[in-house]
Amino acid sequence: MKRRVCVVVTARPSYARIRTALAAIAAHPELELQLVVGASALLDRYGNTVKVIEEEGFRVDRKVFMIVEGENPVTSAKSTGLGLAELSTIFDDLQPHVVVTIADRFETIATAIAAAYLNIPLAHVQGGEITGSIDEKVRHAVTKFADVHFVASRPAAERVVRLGERRDRVFVTGCPSIDLAREALARGPLAADAALRWGGVGARVDLAAPYLVVLQHPVTTEWERARMHVEETLRAVDELGLPTLWFWPNVDSGSDGTARGIRAYRERHAVSNVHFFKNVPPEDFIRLLAGARCIVGNSSVAIRECSWLGVPAVNVGGRQAGRDRGANVIDVAYDHAAILGAIRRWTDGPRPPRGEIYGDGNAGRRMADLLARVPLDFEKRLTFEGEG
Amino acid sequence: MKRRVCVVVTARPSYARIRTALAAIAAHPELELQLVVGASALLDRYGNTVKVIEEEGFRVDRKVFMIVEGENPVTSAKSTGLGLAELSTIFDDLQPHVVVTIADRFETIATAIAAAYLNIPLAHVQGGEITGSIDEKVRHAVTKFADVHFVASRPAAERVVRLGERRDRVFVTGCPSIDLAREALARGPLAADAALRWGGVGARVDLAAPYLVVLQHPVTTEWERARMHVEETLRAVDELGLPTLWFWPNVDSGSDGTARGIRAYRERHAVSNVHFFKNVPPEDFIRLLAGARCIVGNSSVAIRECSWLGVPAVNVGGRQAGRDRGANVIDVAYDHAAILGAIRRWTDGPRPPRGEIYGDGNAGRRMADLLARVPLDFEKRLTFEGEG
Amino acid sequence: MKRRVCVVVTARPSYARIRTALAAIAAHPELELQLVVGASALLDRYGNTVKVIEEEGFRVDRKVFMIVEGENPVTSAKSTGLGLAELSTIFDDLQPHVVVTIADRFETIATAIAAAYLNIPLAHVQGGEITGSIDEKVRHAVTKFADVHFVASRPAAERVVRLGERRDRVFVTGCPSIDLAREALARGPLAADAALRWGGVGARVDLAAPYLVVLQHPVTTEWERARMHVEETLRAVDELGLPTLWFWPNVDSGSDGTARGIRAYRERHAVSNVHFFKNVPPEDFIRLLAGARCIVGNSSVAIRECSWLGVPAVNVGGRQAGRDRGANVIDVAYDHAAILGAIRRWTDGPRPPRGEIYGDGNAGRRMADLLARVPLDFEKRLTFEGEG
Amino acid sequence: MKRRVCVVVTARPSYARIRTALAAIAAHPELELQLVVGASALLDRYGNTVKVIEEEGFRVDRKVFMIVEGENPVTSAKSTGLGLAELSTIFDDLQPHVVVTIADRFETIATAIAAAYLNIPLAHVQGGEITGSIDEKVRHAVTKFADVHFVASRPAAERVVRLGERRDRVFVTGCPSIDLAREALARGPLAADAALRWGGVGARVDLAAPYLVVLQHPVTTEWERARMHVEETLRAVDELGLPTLWFWPNVDSGSDGTARGIRAYRERHAVSNVHFFKNVPPEDFIRLLAGARCIVGNSSVAIRECSWLGVPAVNVGGRQAGRDRGANVIDVAYDHAAILGAIRRWTDGPRPPRGEIYGDGNAGRRMADLLARVPLDFEKRLTFEGEG
């Protein structure tokens, strides 16, 4: 009998980070893919990721709405509760042999707890990383619920083991996002007018000329300052004047603050060099990054994919603090002058070398192979390495 | 301004384990106690703990029903989700400075996540212990959500630190359950007919004569075997013939199996020496233990309180595996002959010495003092001791 | 394409009341049965109805836990909310052409609202009846959500039309419970020792000799008095001394009161003539009724099935007030003397004639035929007969 | 003891419709106001109504997030479930003597069911009206849960009585929205530049010159067509060229369709005469209406407030079908030519006379007086007038 592998995808970035694994699971002769799509991945205003998923050929077994509207700390907690209630019914119905959960979102912990209580072995993608904020707590708590760990890097693997997990259940697969970068690079650059296809509002950007990419998320525990934060970046980009593709932040506490910051700035200033997007297909997004002069903001793609792509990054604020990084990242504070200065260092200087800190582009295949042969159990007992 | 300390009590054993801390918090000049009672602590068939709480002089700020009926893995997960949704509304309304959560139940993780998403510092009582089963996953996940740790023993403290928590936020308070044992011992033995006051069904037990106490919980991940397990103990107790006080298990996956096992056995056999209880006031329960010839089952009280009381224990099955224990415990398998043999070793031999492995009886006061002065923050970043 | 008919069964009495319709739908060439089983129908302590359903050959498409434990007004409301959240996901997944909901329970209104918001036509079984209490509000509210009405009697049909429903969507099918009575009567009486098969506790009852049946539900809005109520009946039955089969009440606010009343009485009195059951297969239950000397309590079966069976009934208290009734019913107050007197009038006097006020025993088949051909729409606009 | 009156306000239009009653309840010597604000009334993107409520001097006792994001039929049902679960906890905690629920939204039925199960008498504002769509089912179902009815007009009162409600519990208070119109009229016209205060985007509109107001909600059961519908109105308004104040629709299934329709049209056309708002203070909104040349869309204010104000209305589509209306309304289909023609009939012709079909402007005070003296009970039994 094939092992039923249930993957829960709940957001655009999670999908980007698991897509090659989904394909490898679906293609594996000993695995059966069960795909659950929920949370912001179902919502129009976060880019209708479920449509992209279906267009890329995956069959969605269950869709589950679970976001309580409000984008504040209370509704984040409530959404976790709703997701947990829904996912437990779904897992009970689908009866997977193993559940896969991704990263450190509220849906991730909801997925983890539902699987744990139903005694379904849990594989966690992307544990052992360090970022601060509520994500940090969620990520390591999910590690404690997980039975199998697919981590992106050696340092992450060491941290997961130090957290008391069995070394023989921790696998450095690399991050599947590098897989996408690898595929994308093989296709060559985007057409100059590719941006037209993705909708959005604002300036037309010619992808043949130098351009910036911006992706800046609100910082959960500082949500009232989200507006101020985004305005610093917007001002830097506005002053620089380089054509810019700006991606709308994901659903999370405070994204309203970010959204309002952007709207407020645009009402006061004629921002003529920026186009705002909600979503683009993940592969296009990587090719877009590959061609960018620089990526600005606080997204993990700047550190992860862009390290492998060799794309320079300006990382703003503390959101990525603690994340292992390569030579392509300059860190700055929420300050438009600092941001502008860092961008100029990259646009005026040489590009950084490419690196493999987050993998070699075969993570998805590795995960599928491991899911087919790793022992699946759900009983754990805390032991630390070196203990009797 | 006083620090508002919100304690969430959701079960009879949790109440027993936090009661002296509740009293010390309520009495502390710099603290204000907010008490939320929920889950099985509200339910008649688990002894209506909320009534006991109110009778002992605590004001209950909020009551919250959160158990989805069914007592199986799916409903455990759903109950966690419901609890999370409810508790987030309550915390948002009560605005505590710190939330206290106890042990490793599904309500514990619901409390932890709600506090974490609301950016309320979380104090966790009883982390760092080792038991196996789903409780183990929940306990260590709660540790990763918690900002302050009140642990029962030195080994537990070491484990919490090794899990990546800051040493200056881990406090060996001892277990508050020892506080109760200490108070109880000061009051002397129970009257011979005390058992009459507590209701229940079955044989009358004279507390002046030698008697056993039994407390056996179903083991979550083996719930279909719960019935068989309980019957082994019941048979041993039946064969021994010593007057026995048997306490009904708490709400959890499989307690129906246990309950049915008990009922089925009683229908087939005339069990003349056993009285079955749902609940007794926590202090009476300790005094009852103090006078017992032996405690049988798989409850942690056998290991914790009874160590300090010097009461011999027969620990059945794997539920307490890994828990640090003193000289008062004999471990046996689910086998009526082995259980019977172990009980006889204690009833025929000398009593074990008393021990302080779980504290000296001042845990509650220590916790209140710490809650008044520990720095309250909710930002964590994983670092292991010895790392730069 | 076959019409997909989704029936939601949530309790033992609802199943009894829809079973012949389920069979007729499953057998109908133009219909496909989708069966959702939830709430107390999944729970052991209400007789594990889902097991009976599966043993009788029905495939259960979805199981849904939805009861929040507590058996009080708050948890009834919460359970309705949980049921609504779960059922909307299920209907969205099953995509039925029509949903069938039964009677007037909290699950009934949850089913009705979920179907209405999803724009799925709703058929309601057993509207237009009068009973008082919260059931009354729920029942008529469900009528306002329903698009097709299958009612038990002519007076019920008139009431549904007077409530503003289109006459051409109101069908007097009779009550499917009479179908079961008809089938059961065809099988002849039960064996004298049949009661042994059904488990339960208490006296052995010989079904060949005269016996009583008792079925007494708590009255929702008087739940604290539930205990007192049940004791009056218990005392009457105890004094009469006739062998008695007593059925445990269904899940609802206050059933704990009833349960405690029974337990308390038994602890004080040696009740030697009563056997207590949780559940029997619906057909056996009817055959049991058919052979009873009298039915006592406040169940609608006393009025409905027993009218057709010609079994005398003593109806206690106000729960069935307003329900159309035949010559087989004597109404009494919650008073042991009155109850005893009424039972004796029936046991000492002649049996009443049989009646067809609740149908002729072909309701299930009629419903299936109607579900196959009734226009299915979900848009309504209030009009009263006689209005332009 | 004062009667505690708990009013649940969940949306901008509900607040407008209950505001004078809130003030009268708060001021009444025999009443204590308990105010619960939830659902879209808490959300920024529907105008942050809760802020308006607090600024107008009301103390909010509880805030409750209950909208599951998605704006489709499934999430409407889920939101109802979540609201029900939350409101039952809140009512249990606040212990009101009577709950007041407004109109026919999903929060209305959630409020009604929570009150009914908790045995709290329920007063329903605005029953007996006719509109079609899911609102129609919800409204009459709420009537069946309600114990006291405050209706807007005589025809509505007759319908409520015909639905089987006791005539002595049905009160023609008029609609409180007329109270606001009356207050607003007393203040005279708005300043010419008043619109600047309310934010929003698009053309500046001079309120001293002739202008239109548009308020068009998506129609729940046709949600995929919402986009097409709104574009017809937008095109008519665009072609007319008169300065226009357009109000963003409320949260409901399909409002995303409406929002996208507006955005899509604006991207294709330079709409130079329209300003888009999310929200204005209710009183300003009325004064704005009072000065409008015409109101266009499908809002009930066009029929209700504008009848009393004597403001001409063009009512588009079927959303208000069946609602009693005065001489100020022209009905048209979703067709830009028809809409344009109807607007021109009003802008080129005489204004209609004012009418009192929806009250005289004292509804709020009447409701408060009735809430202080109406018998409060929660037991109903269906009887129709003229029945024995």
Side-chain angles (χ1 to χ4, degrees):
Chain A
M1 188 183 55
K2 291 181 175 189
R3 280 185 176 180
R4 289 185 296 274
V5 178
C6 182
V7 183
V8 181
V9 174
T10 57
R12 185 182 51 164
S14 305
Y15 177 59
R17 220 146 273 165
I18 201 67
R19 192 181 142 283
T20 60
L22 291 182
I25 294 165
H28 198 287
E30 292 161 59
L31 300 177
E32 176 187 332
L33 175 63
Q34 295 178 325
L35 185 53
V36 175
V37 177
S40 70
L42 293 181
L43 300 179
D44 266 13
R45 60 178 182 133
Y46 302 101
N48 204 344
T49 306
V50 68
K51 208 176 138 209
V52 177
I53 293 174
E54 288 174 334
E55 284 169 1
E56 297 193 351
F58 295 105
R59 190 171 58 84
V60 176
D61 290 275
R62 292 296 163 83
K63 296 178 186 176
V64 54
F65 293 94
M66 60 169 79
I67 294 185
V68 179
E69 198 166 341
E71 295 175 287
N72 57 46
V74 183
T75 56
S76 291
K78 281 192 178 314
S79 299
T80 312
L82 186 59
L84 188 38
E86 296 274 344
L87 288 168
S88 54
T89 303
I90 287 174
F91 293 161
D92 188 42
D93 202 42
L94 295 180
Q95 292 285 332
H97 293 99
V98 57
V99 163
V100 179
T101 193
I102 303 154
D104 48 32
R105 303 171 59 86
F106 70 76
E107 311 98 60
T108 308
I109 188 81
T111 302
I113 297 175
Y117 273 108
L118 271 78
N119 295 330
I120 304 169
L122 177 73
H124 182 213
V125 177
Q126 231 174 295
E129 307 195 1
I130 292 185
T131 57
S133 95
I134 177 70
D135 298 348
E136 176 99 11
K137 289 182 172 176
V138 169
R139 187 181 317 108
H140 305 317
V142 172
T143 291
K144 298 315 297 174
F145 279 113
D147 304 287
V148 179
H149 309 270
F150 298 145
V151 302
S153 66
R154 298 220 157 269
E158 281 313 305
R159 284 185 211 106
V160 169
V161 170
R162 290 200 67 172
L163 281 166
E165 298 301 300
R166 292 172 56 166
R167 189 173 285 275
D168 62 351
R169 299 295 158 82
V170 181
F171 305 96
V172 182
T173 56
C175 181
S177 58
I178 307 302
D179 302 14
L180 296 186
R182 192 173 172 234
E183 289 180 8
L185 226 57
R187 298 195 182 185
L190 286 166
D193 62 350
L196 295 177
R197 289 202 307 268
W198 307 319
V201 296
R204 285 201 177 187
V205 173
D206 175 359
L207 300 184
Y211 60 89
L212 296 186
V213 169
V214 182
L215 191 47
Q216 185 162 336
H217 299 275
V219 180
T220 312
T221 59
E222 314 173 43
W223 74 284
E224 281 166 349
R225 282 178 283 162
R227 177 176 172 154
M228 197 193 67
H229 288 165
V230 79
E231 286 185 349
E232 293 293 327
T233 302
L234 204 41
R235 186 168 162 197
V237 165
D238 189 14
E239 289 181 19
L240 183 73
L242 206 63
T244 298
L245 299 144
W246 188 301
F247 291 85
W248 213 249
N250 216 331
V251 67
D252 217 340
S253 293
S255 66
D256 253 358
T258 302
R260 265 181 303 171
I262 294 173
R263 287 202 195 92
Y265 191 93
R266 289 171 62 192
E267 279 165 30
R268 293 195 315 272
H269 305 274
V271 182
S272 60
N273 61 319
V274 184
H275 193 95
F276 293 90
F277 295 95
K278 274 202 176 164
N279 201 6
V280 302
E283 296 204 3
D284 281 7
F285 182 65
I286 297 296
R287 295 163 78 196
L288 191 74
L289 283 178
R293 200 47 93 85
C294 180
I295 176 167
V296 182
N298 58 10
S299 169
S300 59
V301 295
I303 290 174
R304 226 185 296 243
E305 287 89 337
C306 291
S307 159
W308 191 85
L309 290 167
V311 172
V314 174
N315 178 60
V316 183
R319 189 166 182 263
Q320 301 299 332
R323 201 184 282 281
D324 304 300
R325 59 195 68 192
N328 72 314
V329 180
I330 299 175
D331 291 283
V332 295
Y334 294 112
D335 175 77
H336 70 275
I339 297 167
L340 186 56
I343 299 174
R344 285 203 171 121
R345 274 177 55 198
W346 283 128
T347 54
D348 299 350
R351 284 172 83 88
R354 297 174 48 199
E356 287 206 354
I357 179 169
Y358 284 105
D360 61 0
N362 294 300
R365 196 180 41 69
R366 253 183 224 116
M367 285 184 197
D369 289 345
L370 287 163
L371 286 166
R373 65 178 173 77
V374 75
L376 292 179
D377 39 33
F378 55 81
E379 283 280 8
K380 299 204 303 188
R381 197 173 289 273
L382 187 62
T383 48
F384 296 103
E385 284 207 334
E387 284 191 337
Chain B
M1 188 183 56
K2 290 181 174 189
R3 280 185 176 180
R4 290 184 295 275
V5 178
C6 181
V7 183
V8 181
V9 173
T10 57
R12 185 182 51 165
S14 305
Y15 177 59
R17 219 145 275 165
I18 201 67
R19 192 181 142 282
T20 60
L22 291 181
I25 294 165
H28 199 287
E30 293 161 58
L31 300 176
E32 175 188 333
L33 176 63
Q34 295 178 325
L35 185 54
V36 175
V37 178
S40 70
L42 293 181
L43 300 178
D44 265 13
R45 59 178 182 133
Y46 301 101
N48 205 345
T49 306
V50 68
K51 208 177 139 208
V52 176
I53 292 173
E54 288 174 333
E55 283 169 1
E56 297 195 350
F58 296 105
R59 190 172 58 84
V60 176
D61 291 276
R62 292 296 164 84
K63 297 178 186 176
V64 54
F65 293 94
M66 59 169 79
I67 295 185
V68 178
E69 198 167 341
E71 295 176 287
N72 57 47
V74 183
T75 56
S76 291
K78 281 193 178 313
S79 299
T80 312
L82 185 59
L84 189 39
E86 296 273 345
L87 288 168
S88 54
T89 303
I90 287 173
F91 293 161
D92 188 41
D93 202 42
L94 295 181
Q95 293 286 331
H97 292 100
V98 57
V99 162
V100 178
T101 194
I102 304 154
D104 48 32
R105 303 171 59 87
F106 70 76
E107 311 97 59
T108 309
I109 187 82
T111 302
I113 297 175
Y117 273 108
L118 272 78
N119 295 330
I120 304 169
L122 177 73
H124 182 213
V125 176
Q126 230 176 297
E129 307 196 1
I130 292 185
T131 57
S133 95
I134 177 70
D135 298 348
E136 176 98 11
K137 289 182 172 177
V138 170
R139 186 181 318 108
H140 306 316
V142 172
T143 290
K144 299 315 297 174
F145 278 113
D147 305 286
V148 179
H149 309 269
F150 297 145
V151 303
S153 66
R154 296 219 158 269
E158 281 312 305
R159 284 185 211 106
V160 169
V161 170
R162 290 201 66 171
L163 282 166
E165 298 301 301
R166 293 172 55 165
R167 190 172 285 275
D168 61 352
R169 299 294 158 83
V170 181
F171 304 96
V172 182
T173 55
C175 181
S177 58
I178 308 302
D179 302 14
L180 297 186
R182 192 173 171 234
E183 289 180 9
L185 228 57
R187 299 195 182 186
L190 286 165
D193 60 351
L196 295 177
R197 291 203 306 268
W198 307 319
V201 296
R204 285 200 177 188
V205 173
D206 175 359
L207 299 184
Y211 60 88
L212 296 186
V213 169
V214 183
L215 191 48
Q216 185 162 336
H217 298 276
V219 179
T220 312
T221 60
E222 315 173 43
W223 72 286
E224 281 166 349
R225 283 178 282 163
R227 176 176 173 155
M228 198 192 67
H229 288 166
V230 80
E231 286 184 350
E232 293 292 327
T233 302
L234 204 41
R235 187 168 161 195
V237 166
D238 189 14
E239 288 181 19
L240 183 74
L242 206 63
T244 298
L245 300 144
W246 189 300
F247 291 85
W248 213 248
N250 216 329
V251 68
D252 217 339
S253 294
S255 66
D256 253 359
T258 302
R260 264 181 303 171
I262 294 173
R263 288 203 195 93
Y265 191 93
R266 289 170 64 193
E267 279 165 28
R268 292 196 315 273
H269 305 273
V271 183
S272 60
N273 61 319
V274 184
H275 193 95
F276 293 90
F277 294 95
K278 274 202 177 167
N279 202 5
V280 302
E283 297 204 3
D284 281 6
F285 183 65
I286 298 297
R287 295 164 79 195
L288 192 74
L289 283 179
R293 200 47 94 84
C294 179
I295 176 167
V296 182
N298 58 11
S299 169
S300 59
V301 295
I303 290 174
R304 226 184 297 243
E305 287 90 336
C306 291
S307 158
W308 190 85
L309 291 167
V311 173
V314 174
N315 178 60
V316 183
R319 190 165 180 263
Q320 301 299 332
R323 200 185 284 281
D324 303 301
R325 61 196 65 194
N328 71 315
V329 180
I330 299 176
D331 290 284
V332 296
Y334 294 112
D335 175 77
H336 71 277
I339 297 167
L340 186 56
I343 300 174
R344 287 203 170 121
R345 274 177 55 198
W346 284 128
T347 54
D348 299 350
R351 282 174 84 89
R354 296 175 48 200
E356 286 205 355
I357 178 169
Y358 285 106
D360 62 359
N362 294 300
R365 196 180 40 71
R366 254 183 223 115
M367 284 184 197
D369 288 345
L370 287 164
L371 286 166
R373 65 177 173 79
V374 73
L376 292 179
D377 39 33
F378 55 82
E379 283 280 7
K380 298 204 304 188
R381 197 173 288 274
L382 188 62
T383 48
F384 296 103
E385 284 206 334
E387 284 191 338
Chain C
M1 188 183 55
K2 290 181 175 190
R3 280 184 176 181
R4 290 184 295 274
V5 179
C6 182
V7 183
V8 182
V9 173
T10 57
R12 184 180 53 166
S14 305
Y15 177 58
R17 220 146 273 163
I18 201 68
R19 194 181 141 284
T20 61
L22 291 182
I25 294 165
H28 198 288
E30 293 161 58
L31 300 177
E32 176 188 333
L33 176 63
Q34 295 178 325
L35 185 54
V36 176
V37 177
S40 69
L42 293 181
L43 299 178
D44 265 15
R45 61 178 182 132
Y46 302 101
N48 204 344
T49 306
V50 68
K51 208 176 137 208
V52 177
I53 292 174
E54 288 174 335
E55 285 169 0
E56 298 194 349
F58 295 105
R59 190 172 59 83
V60 175
D61 291 276
R62 293 294 165 84
K63 296 177 187 177
V64 55
F65 293 94
M66 60 169 80
I67 295 186
V68 179
E69 198 166 342
E71 296 176 287
N72 57 47
V74 182
T75 57
S76 292
K78 281 193 178 313
S79 299
T80 312
L82 186 60
L84 189 39
E86 296 274 345
L87 289 168
S88 54
T89 303
I90 288 174
F91 293 162
D92 189 41
D93 202 43
L94 296 180
Q95 294 286 331
H97 292 99
V98 58
V99 163
V100 179
T101 194
I102 304 155
D104 47 33
R105 303 171 60 87
F106 70 76
E107 310 98 59
T108 309
I109 188 82
T111 302
I113 296 175
Y117 272 108
L118 271 78
N119 295 330
I120 304 169
L122 177 73
H124 181 213
V125 176
Q126 230 176 298
E129 307 194 2
I130 292 184
T131 58
S133 94
I134 178 69
D135 298 348
E136 175 100 11
K137 288 182 173 178
V138 169
R139 187 181 315 111
H140 305 318
V142 173
T143 291
K144 299 315 297 175
F145 278 113
D147 305 287
V148 178
H149 310 270
F150 297 145
V151 302
S153 66
R154 298 220 157 270
E158 281 312 306
R159 284 184 212 106
V160 169
V161 170
R162 290 201 66 173
L163 281 166
E165 298 301 300
R166 291 171 56 166
R167 188 172 286 276
D168 61 352
R169 299 293 158 84
V170 182
F171 304 97
V172 182
T173 56
C175 181
S177 59
I178 307 302
D179 303 14
L180 296 186
R182 192 172 172 235
E183 288 180 10
L185 227 57
R187 299 196 180 184
L190 286 165
D193 61 351
L196 295 178
R197 290 201 306 268
W198 306 318
V201 296
R204 286 200 176 189
V205 173
D206 175 359
L207 299 184
Y211 61 88
L212 296 186
V213 169
V214 181
L215 191 47
Q216 185 161 336
H217 299 275
V219 181
T220 311
T221 58
E222 315 174 42
W223 73 283
E224 282 165 349
R225 282 177 282 163
R227 178 175 171 154
M228 197 192 68
H229 288 167
V230 79
E231 286 185 348
E232 294 291 328
T233 302
L234 204 41
R235 185 168 164 196
V237 166
D238 189 15
E239 289 181 19
L240 183 72
L242 206 61
T244 298
L245 300 144
W246 187 301
F247 291 85
W248 213 249
N250 216 329
V251 67
D252 217 341
S253 293
S255 67
D256 253 358
T258 301
R260 266 182 301 173
I262 294 173
R263 289 204 193 92
Y265 191 93
R266 288 171 63 191
E267 280 165 28
R268 294 195 314 272
H269 305 274
V271 182
S272 60
N273 60 320
V274 184
H275 193 94
F276 293 90
F277 295 95
K278 272 202 178 166
N279 201 7
V280 302
E283 296 204 3
D284 281 7
F285 183 64
I286 297 297
R287 295 163 79 196
L288 191 75
L289 283 179
R293 199 47 93 84
C294 180
I295 176 167
V296 181
N298 58 12
S299 169
S300 60
V301 296
I303 290 174
R304 226 185 297 245
E305 287 89 336
C306 291
S307 158
W308 190 84
L309 291 167
V311 173
V314 173
N315 177 60
V316 183
R319 190 166 180 261
Q320 301 299 333
R323 201 184 283 281
D324 303 301
R325 59 196 69 191
N328 72 314
V329 181
I330 298 176
D331 291 283
V332 295
Y334 294 112
D335 176 77
H336 71 276
I339 297 167
L340 186 56
I343 299 174
R344 286 204 170 119
R345 274 176 55 199
W346 283 129
T347 53
D348 300 349
R351 283 173 85 87
R354 296 173 49 199
E356 287 205 354
I357 177 169
Y358 284 105
D360 61 1
N362 294 299
R365 195 180 42 69
R366 253 182 224 117
M367 284 184 197
D369 289 345
L370 286 163
L371 286 166
R373 66 178 172 76
V374 73
L376 292 179
D377 39 33
F378 55 82
E379 283 280 7
K380 299 204 301 188
R381 198 173 286 275
L382 187 63
T383 48
F384 295 103
E385 284 208 333
E387 284 191 340
Chain D
M1 188 183 56
K2 289 181 175 190
R3 279 183 177 182
R4 291 185 295 274
V5 179
C6 182
V7 183
V8 182
V9 173
T10 57
R12 185 180 52 166
S14 306
Y15 177 60
R17 220 146 274 163
I18 201 69
R19 194 182 141 283
T20 60
L22 291 182
I25 294 165
H28 198 288
E30 293 162 58
L31 300 177
E32 176 187 333
L33 176 63
Q34 295 178 324
L35 185 54
V36 175
V37 177
S40 70
L42 293 181
L43 299 178
D44 265 13
R45 61 177 181 132
Y46 302 101
N48 204 345
T49 306
V50 68
K51 208 176 137 208
V52 177
I53 293 174
E54 288 173 334
E55 284 169 1
E56 298 194 350
F58 296 105
R59 191 172 58 84
V60 176
D61 291 276
R62 293 294 164 84
K63 296 178 187 177
V64 54
F65 292 94
M66 61 169 79
I67 294 186
V68 179
E69 197 165 343
E71 296 177 287
N72 57 47
V74 182
T75 56
S76 292
K78 282 194 178 310
S79 300
T80 312
L82 186 60
L84 188 39
E86 296 274 345
L87 289 168
S88 53
T89 303
I90 288 174
F91 293 162
D92 188 41
D93 202 42
L94 296 180
Q95 293 286 332
H97 293 99
V98 57
V99 163
V100 179
T101 195
I102 304 155
D104 47 33
R105 302 171 60 87
F106 70 78
E107 310 99 59
T108 309
I109 187 84
T111 303
I113 296 175
Y117 273 108
L118 271 78
N119 295 329
I120 304 169
L122 178 72
H124 182 213
V125 177
Q126 230 176 296
E129 306 195 1
I130 292 185
T131 57
S133 95
I134 179 68
D135 298 347
E136 176 100 11
K137 288 182 173 178
V138 169
R139 187 182 315 109
H140 305 317
V142 172
T143 291
K144 299 315 297 174
F145 278 112
D147 304 287
V148 179
H149 309 269
F150 297 145
V151 302
S153 66
R154 297 219 156 272
E158 281 312 305
R159 284 185 211 106
V160 170
V161 171
R162 289 202 65 173
L163 281 166
E165 298 302 300
R166 290 172 57 165
R167 188 172 286 276
D168 61 353
R169 300 293 159 84
V170 181
F171 304 96
V172 183
T173 55
C175 181
S177 59
I178 307 303
D179 303 13
L180 296 186
R182 192 171 171 236
E183 288 180 9
L185 227 56
R187 298 195 182 186
L190 286 165
D193 61 351
L196 295 178
R197 290 201 307 267
W198 306 319
V201 296
R204 286 198 177 190
V205 173
D206 175 0
L207 300 183
Y211 61 87
L212 296 186
V213 169
V214 182
L215 191 47
Q216 184 161 336
H217 299 276
V219 180
T220 312
T221 59
E222 315 174 41
W223 73 285
E224 281 165 349
R225 282 177 282 163
R227 178 176 172 153
M228 197 191 67
H229 288 166
V230 80
E231 286 185 349
E232 294 291 328
T233 301
L234 204 41
R235 185 168 164 195
V237 166
D238 189 15
E239 289 182 19
L240 182 73
L242 207 61
T244 298
L245 300 143
W246 188 301
F247 291 85
W248 213 249
N250 216 328
V251 66
D252 217 340
S253 293
S255 67
D256 252 358
T258 301
R260 266 182 302 173
I262 293 173
R263 288 203 193 93
Y265 191 93
R266 288 171 63 192
E267 281 166 28
R268 293 194 314 273
H269 305 274
V271 183
S272 60
N273 60 317
V274 183
H275 194 94
F276 293 90
F277 295 94
K278 272 202 178 167
N279 201 8
V280 301
E283 296 204 3
D284 282 6
F285 183 65
I286 297 298
R287 294 164 78 197
L288 192 75
L289 283 178
R293 199 49 92 84
C294 180
I295 176 166
V296 181
N298 59 10
S299 169
S300 60
V301 296
I303 291 174
R304 226 185 296 244
E305 287 89 336
C306 290
S307 159
W308 190 84
L309 291 167
V311 173
V314 174
N315 177 60
V316 182
R319 190 167 180 262
Q320 301 299 332
R323 202 185 281 281
D324 303 301
R325 59 196 68 193
N328 71 314
V329 180
I330 299 176
D331 291 283
V332 296
Y334 294 113
D335 175 78
H336 70 276
I339 298 167
L340 186 56
I343 299 173
R344 286 202 170 120
R345 274 176 56 197
W346 283 129
T347 54
D348 299 350
R351 283 174 84 88
R354 296 174 49 200
E356 287 205 355
I357 176 169
Y358 284 105
D360 62 1
N362 294 300
R365 196 180 41 70
R366 252 181 224 118
M367 284 184 197
D369 289 345
L370 286 163
L371 287 166
R373 66 178 172 77
V374 72
L376 292 179
D377 40 33
F378 55 83
E379 283 279 8
K380 300 204 303 187
R381 198 174 286 275
L382 187 63
T383 48
F384 296 104
E385 284 207 332
E387 284 192 338

